[in-house]
Amino acid sequence: MPSPRIDVLDDYDVLSRAGADMVSVFLRSTPAARIVVATGATPMGLYRELAHRRGRGELEAAEVTVFQLDEYAGIAPDDRRSLLGWARRSFVEPLGIPPDRVVPVPTDGDPETCAEYDREVERAGGYDLAILGIGRNGHVGFNEPPSDPSAPTRLVELTPESIDSNAAYWGDVEHVPRRAVTIGLAGLLRSRTILLVASGGSKREIVQRAVLGPMTDEVPASHLRASADLRVLVDRAAWDGPEPA
Ligand code: F6R
């Protein structure tokens, strides 16, 4: 099993710049990269840093294809709370990626549509890079615990932890959709490179379990260690393990 490369950065800003460094280098070698883009709070600093670099003429991303990682089931794409809208506002538009280079997840969650989506990605050669965050319950995308490494793209029921942690975006916990569609762990694991970012004390315990604990369906992010090229960027607040070599 390959070991993940773990970098512990001083704080969130340093982490965001380190993430942007990694993505910039990746884009120089693979300008037409197929990139899975997480939303959530953690990668926003990284995305802002990429946008600044593009503004300074240091980064070119017009050939990138963006794959949406996950979405609330049945939500309209123009709903301001949709994760697709969030990915567009934070990544696609600031990086000058043409709108027709964005591939949404099949939000109706129909099993055959999801299976066809996975087959199409596979035929196109899979993802090159997946930029992922981690939920406090160990989820990646909405691969909620338990999720096994062969999990396909599919409709899922959100766990109470995920419903709670998204309540702020919906005004009240009662309004958070109960179901979502997510790219499965199987597709993510076939990504050439995975970049996992985590920040802050609320992620400390789950990061240790995902990175240093047993690989288990109960911590879906732990399965990312089966990836041939997993890079983990954490800030000091989120790290409780030994100083990585
Ligand atoms: C968002 C997503 C989620 C988040 C995770 C961490 O598209 O897939 O898995 O990455 O919930 O969210 P934050 O970064 O807000 O702590």
Side-chain angles (χ1 to χ4, degrees), residues 33 59 80 96-97 122 124 164 173 190 219 239 241 245:
L59 183 119
R80 63 177 177 78
I97 299 166
E122 191 68 29
D164 267 0
V173 78
R190 284 195 297 271
V219 182
W239 184 248

Side-chain angles (χ1 to χ4, degrees), residues 53 149 163 199:
R53 292 179 190 197
I163 292 169
S199 165

Side-chain angles (χ1 to χ4, degrees), residues 38-42 69-70 133-135 139 141 203:
T39 52
T42 314
L69 172 60
D70 48 9
I134 178 172
H139 74 202
K203 298 290 173 69

